[in-house]
Amino acid sequence: MSPRYQEVYSAWKADPEDFWAKAAEAISWTRKWDKVFEPNAGTYGHWFVGAECNVCYNALDRQVAGGRANQVALIYDSPITGSIKRFSYAELLAEVVALAAVLQDQGVSKGDRVIIYMPMVAEAAVAMLACARLGAVHSVVFGGFAARELATRIDDAKPKAIITASCGIEPGRLIPYQPLLEGAIEQSTHKPSSCIVLQRPQHAYELRQGRDIDYRSAVEAAKAAGRKVDCVTVKATDPLYVLYTSGTTGQPKGVVRDCGGHMVALEWSMENEFGVKPGEVFWGASDVGWVVGHSYIVYGPLIHGATSILFEGKPVGTPDAGTFWRVISEHGVVALFTAPTAFRAIKKEDPQGEFVKKYDLSKFRMLFLAGERADPPTIQWAENKLKRPVIDHWWQTETGSPVSQNPAGLGLLPVKYGSPGVAMPGYDIHVLDDAGHELPRGTLGNVVIKLPLPPGCLPTLWNADDRFREAYLEEFPGYYKTADAGYVDEDGYLFIMARTDDIINVAGHRLSTGGMEEVVAMHPDVAECAVIGIADAMKGQTPLGFVVLNAGVSRDVSIIEREVVALVRDKIGPVAAFKMVVTIKRLPKTRSGKILRGTMQKIADNEPWKMPATIDDPAILDEITASLKERGIGG
Ligand code: COA
Ligand code: AMP
């Protein structure tokens, strides 16, 4: 193994507080910490207690003051609208200050929440940074979620303001946001006092007097008035944002990110884990609605003084499977981070990699993949076509930056296909059986992280310390439960195999089958249901719903199934990618009434399965096999 990785990881293990205190020197603090780590604060301790800072200052003002005023900070590249716009650090700062002034006029101040429901436009990043400048807590909601999901988040975060746009754009269709936003505000108990709306030329939003503000004219007015808004000093332990992620029920978990530890972790990761230097161009091809967008489109690259790309498009179809190479070549990208599904999509359209040959990728050094399991054939295809290292790494919304990786900045270790690398400093990874006993190397079990979690990880869930403890800390005392199953091999490489809960991963998007079941069960003709994730060649997994209809329902089954699909799209959103429903006579259950989802998944995936000893009636599995076969699913 690379001596540098061993050396750095051992240094962290020997003295974690010293390690993070040294890493924290790369950040500008208004006040230094009293204690690097306080174990008795919060749910498992707090990092950089007593320190004060501002995240926007570190991302923008400091860069401008340090000589990067004219360096490009953000490139908005939108093949879907045919536009490219570059913002220097000074220009981005001016945009952020102006929007912060607009927010201030709406009464937004330190600690207030602001929901950002926006497509992939530069203003989404500006909105995040403007909140950070004021010490307000942003909560970005992915544009592919429907009104009901937005309403749940509005009620939990209780935002003073919402920043939105008139529409999102998906290939071949516009998504007007007004009905979604109005629908959400109608459904929610909490009502925001103002909505700041970015009008896009593709679709108009009818502003509601007294509540809605036109983003562009308000920002221009703030600029014309020469408004100055200073960075508001916050505690290192204050929340920067809340990002909702799927839990096991329809109620998402509000992952909290603090300010100080988060900056330290991101800054460290940019150089050491991604091997990117200040001034270089880094591209996180994700969405600001996901954690990758927060960490590696907005905060990580900017805090590091790099140039970041905000891409509004798809890996294929905007306009073709060469888009990624065009962006890399046009902007001089040194490292790209995306989900394996994007590469499976490209490989399907351009198996020979003909588009790769058309572009100058001379500056491009490495591809990073995460968000779902990177299947070895996809990695090998990418390596082969790009002739560059392809680095799988594993982390979660909760951790905010990689837990395990092949650390590019410390010198690459040999690649093991199917493994997202070795533990990063901060993470002491263990594999335990269900009773909490350590398992030998190579044995599959529960992947857990020894407490305390390092800087940058969630300190808790928004207003839900008890749910945090119950979800992550209680099952394996002394450890954080990742809810992933996997093993560590003899060389210390981690292998992540599956989730241990009912979360599925569809095209790199984390979705709750429990949440989908709650919606399917709302259909008046459905008596019982189960939703599972089955293998999908492109998206990794895709949801499959089983429904049992109420006795006496005589309507056409295919119409009911279509209604169920429409219901999930309407309530959760298109991102659920819920398109398959199979009506069955009964659900397979254990004698104690637990639905045998695991066995159903194996049947649907045509994997070997054993008759569960506790099954209530074995004949049901034959019925399901037959129903799936009729649909061409399974064997
Ligand atoms: N707003 C509205 N709708 C959205 C949306 C958004 N921001 N993002 C996705 N959707 C819609 C899609 O249009 C699609 O709708 P459809 O059912 O009418 O076709 C649906 O949600 C499902 O989206 P997705 O699962 O992404 O499938 P896709 O066929 O549109 O695209 C990929 C497939 C592989 C090209 C796409 O998932 C992709 O680019 N993935 C890259 C990885 C990534 O971004 N991962 C995020 C975490 S790193
Ligand atoms: P999210 O919180 O949306 O980032 O999803 C986190 C989950 O995605 C993890 O708990 C894993 O189940 C899965 N995941 C992320 N990265 C990887 C990876 N490199 N390999 C396998 N699974 C991954």
Side-chain angles (χ1 to χ4, degrees):
M1 275 197 185
S2 147
R4 183 108 175 87
Y5 163 72
Q6 289 289 21
E7 188 191 307
V8 172
Y9 190 77
S10 305
W12 162 73
K13 219 165 180 189
D15 192 344
E17 291 188 25
D18 180 63
F19 180 90
W20 291 118
K22 284 189 179 129
E25 281 165 21
I27 297 300
S28 292
W29 303 90
T30 322
R31 181 184 189 275
K32 283 270 174 92
W33 48 90
D34 299 319
K35 265 186 122 173
V36 180
F37 183 66
E38 169 50 65
N40 297 316
T43 54
Y44 62 85
H46 276 162
W47 289 96
F48 304 108
V49 175
E52 293 176 351
C53 55
N54 181 279
V55 177
C56 180
Y57 178 82
N58 276 275
L60 298 178
D61 304 61
R62 172 177 79 141
Q63 312 294 1
V64 169
R68 298 192 187 282
N70 298 323
Q71 179 194 311
V72 176
L74 189 71
I75 302 171
Y76 164 64
D77 187 312
S78 171
I80 209 145
T81 59
S83 47
I84 294 179
K85 191 159 186 231
R86 293 175 176 80
F87 298 83
S88 68
Y89 270 96
E91 286 164 343
L92 192 59
L93 177 58
E95 290 294 321
V96 168
V97 168
L99 184 62
V102 174
L103 284 168
Q104 233 175 19
D105 292 346
Q106 297 311 309
V108 173
S109 63
K110 182 159 147 180
D112 288 337
R113 273 81 58 210
V114 175
I115 279 190
I116 300 172
Y117 184 58
M118 291 186 107
M120 283 293 283
V121 288
E123 288 80 358
V126 171
M128 292 163 76
L129 291 157
C131 290
R133 190 167 193 86
L134 296 174
V137 180
H138 62 68
S139 187
V140 184
V141 179
F142 178 63
F145 281 122
R148 182 170 168 269
E149 291 290 322
L150 183 55
T152 308
R153 287 153 174 82
I154 292 174
D155 272 335
D156 198 63
K158 300 191 173 38
K160 191 167 252 180
I162 296 187
I163 306 176
T164 191
S166 56
C167 67
I169 309 168
E170 284 292 289
R173 73 191 155 101
L174 281 184
I175 296 121
Y177 277 15
Q178 185 149 21
L180 297 166
L181 189 63
E182 297 290 358
I185 295 175
E186 211 173 282
Q187 290 173 47
S188 61
T189 314
H190 172 84
K191 310 288 176 197
S193 43
S194 54
C195 296
I196 301 166
V197 183
L198 177 78
Q199 296 280 15
R200 302 190 77 186
Q202 293 80 7
H203 186 82
Y205 190 112
E206 268 183 51
L207 299 181
R208 190 189 275 203
Q209 273 236 318
R211 189 198 65 189
D212 297 347
I213 293 153
D214 180 73
Y215 180 115
R216 191 50 56 208
S217 48
V219 159
E220 290 314 320
K223 281 186 192 167
R227 296 280 299 274
K228 300 257 177 293
V229 180
D230 290 336
C231 291
V232 173
T233 299
V234 297
K235 290 192 204 124
T237 50
D238 278 342
L240 170 69
Y241 68 75
V242 179
L243 178 58
Y244 289 90
T245 188
S246 298
T248 48
T249 64
Q251 178 67 31
K253 292 170 170 167
V255 168
V256 174
R257 192 81 56 211
D258 71 7
C259 292
H262 178 229
M263 287 197 282
V264 174
L266 289 184
E267 168 61 27
W268 196 87
S269 74
M270 285 301 299
E271 186 106 27
N272 296 289
E273 293 171 5
F274 294 101
V276 173
K277 304 226 167 329
E280 292 188 325
V281 185
F282 181 81
W283 180 19
S286 177
D287 189 288
V288 286
W290 308 118
V291 70
V292 179
H294 284 63
S295 294
Y296 295 111
I297 297 175
V298 181
Y299 292 114
L302 297 179
I303 288 169
H304 193 50
T307 297
S308 184
I309 294 185
L310 193 142
F311 173 75
E312 188 181 30
K314 302 270 172 179
V316 292
T318 57
D320 55 37
T323 310
F324 273 24
W325 325 130
R326 193 269 302 159
V327 172
I328 290 174
S329 119
E330 188 162 344
H331 305 303
V333 171
V334 299
L336 163 66
F337 175 159
T338 191
T341 191
F343 268 75
R344 289 195 294 268
I346 295 171
K347 179 175 147 203
K348 187 164 172 244
E349 294 274 304
D350 180 22
Q352 301 311 321
E354 295 301 334
F355 279 111
V356 183
K357 298 175 200 155
K358 295 190 183 160
Y359 295 95
D360 170 13
L361 305 185
S362 54
K363 288 204 175 143
F364 184 52
R365 291 198 295 264
M366 237 171 265
L367 168 66
F368 294 91
L369 297 177
E372 56 169 326
R373 188 163 187 276
D375 52 300
T378 300
I379 294 193
Q380 282 158 335
W381 182 85
E383 274 178 345
N384 194 288
K385 299 299 169 218
L386 296 171
K387 314 253 181 294
R388 281 158 180 84
V390 178
I391 307 300
D392 180 10
H393 58 299
W394 167 72
W395 52 294
Q396 310 181 305
T397 304
E398 288 85 344
T399 66
S401 67
V403 180
S404 78
Q405 184 164 1
N406 194 335
L410 300 177
L412 281 182
L413 309 174
V415 169
K416 287 202 189 193
Y417 294 111
S419 164
V422 294
M424 290 297 94
Y427 295 99
D428 185 3
I429 299 174
H430 292 254
V431 180
L432 307 181
D433 68 13
D434 289 347
H437 303 120
E438 189 93 30
L439 286 166
R441 291 267 166 127
T443 310
L444 186 72
N446 299 287
V447 178
V448 297
I449 298 163
K450 197 163 188 304
L451 292 173
L453 291 169
C457 288
L458 80 172
T460 190
L461 294 174
W462 182 251
N463 282 339
D465 285 353
D466 286 345
R467 188 176 181 199
F468 172 80
R469 288 194 189 92
E470 192 194 314
Y472 301 106
L473 306 186
E474 273 172 11
E475 195 169 337
F476 301 106
Y479 298 93
Y480 163 86
K481 178 176 98 169
T482 66
D484 276 316
Y487 63 92
V488 176
D489 77 1
E490 289 304 328
D491 299 322
Y493 281 66
L494 179 70
F495 288 77
I496 294 290
M497 306 312 287
R499 289 284 299 195
T500 58
D501 54 13
D502 65 359
I503 298 290
I504 58 170
N505 201 314
V506 181
H509 306 139
R510 175 167 158 180
L511 300 168
S512 162
T513 54
M516 291 188 219
E517 286 176 5
E518 284 173 24
V519 172
V520 174
M522 286 176 188
H523 190 285
D525 292 337
V526 170
E528 273 193 301
C529 68
V531 176
I532 58 171
I534 63 168
D536 182 86
M538 167 94 83
K539 296 190 177 187
Q541 280 183 299
T542 188
L544 168 64
F546 292 93
V547 293
V548 176
L549 301 183
N550 285 318
V553 170
S554 55
R555 298 172 60 221
D556 185 334
V557 166
S558 64
I559 293 177
I560 297 173
E561 288 175 356
R562 279 203 296 277
E563 287 169 358
V564 169
V565 166
L567 192 63
V568 175
R569 194 176 172 95
D570 180 51
K571 300 284 179 207
I572 298 181
V575 66
F578 182 85
K579 300 203 167 151
M580 281 185 292
V581 178
V582 178
T583 305
I584 52 176
K585 279 190 243 148
R586 11 183 220 165
L587 284 169
K589 292 183 189 168
T590 62
R591 282 190 283 275
S592 60
K594 211 168 160 248
I595 299 171
L596 291 160
R597 293 182 179 79
T599 313
M600 293 160 85
Q601 175 259 314
K602 287 198 167 67
I603 294 172
D605 282 342
N606 205 14
E607 286 173 10
W609 55 276
K610 275 198 234 133
M611 184 63 71
T614 54
I615 191 165
D616 186 26
D617 181 353
I620 302 179
L621 293 177
D622 294 331
E623 293 169 15
I624 288 187
T625 309
S627 303
L628 288 173
K629 257 194 191 150
E630 272 175 35
R631 303 293 185 87
I633 305 168

